[in-house]
Amino acid sequence: MNILNAVLLSLIAGLATGLGGALVSLFGDLNMRTYDGLLGFAAGVMTAVATLGLVYEAMIQGSLLMVILGIAAGAAALYFFDRFLPHEHEPLTFQCKNPTAYRRGLMLLAAMTLHNIPEGLAVGTGYAAEPRLGLLLAVAIALHNIPEGVAIAGPFRQCGMPRRQYLAWATGSGLAEPLAALIGAAALVVFRPMLPFSLAFA
């Protein structure tokens, strides 16, 4: 039951990117200052989640060495994904009015989808460790995902992508989260002693 709850919480948090995409379809083009502000807000929320939630809980559950190893392993995994996963997507199926905006959208889509994996792990491992922590993480990540959805959908709208397509991209970028939450929560059920490392990794 804990695993199912973790996955559902992460799914709700992940779908918040679609809400951000829907806001773009309602309010139209946003300038770069607005994008920067939204991404700054998202970064601030995740910094607070990592330091006040995950790292703090990992320190309570285990040793400093285990926490440092978990953070280092998480950073290495992100570097690996960013370096070796392909960042190109399907060929255009619409008339692109702004190739620069399209490239910016692709870059943001790849980056956001990539970092949604550790967000899902955070909710899964956090919920397995302490349901209250998992719920707090899911709410914080959902808040943080709304501006991410705006950041993904905005450039795609600017270049002329149809609404249903940029909404699908924005929503789909968050769906890596429930899969990662499932992996994180299930792994902790089997490997409970790895909890401090898992929290720090996430």
Side-chain angles (χ1 to χ4, degrees), residues 87-94 102 106 109 161 165 169:
H87 284 46
E88 297 300 322
H89 297 278
E90 64 182 28
L92 293 181
T93 55
F94 62 94
Y102 180 73
L106 280 183
L109 174 66
M161 183 181 282
Q165 196 171 342
W169 280 124

Side-chain angles (χ1 to χ4, degrees), residues 16 20 38 53 61 68 85 90 93 101 108 136 150 154 162 184 192 194 198:
L38 289 169
Q61 301 277 347
I68 291 171
L85 285 184
E90 64 182 28
T93 55
L108 285 165
L136 175 67
V150 171
R192 188 76 188 184
M194 292 296 292
S198 301

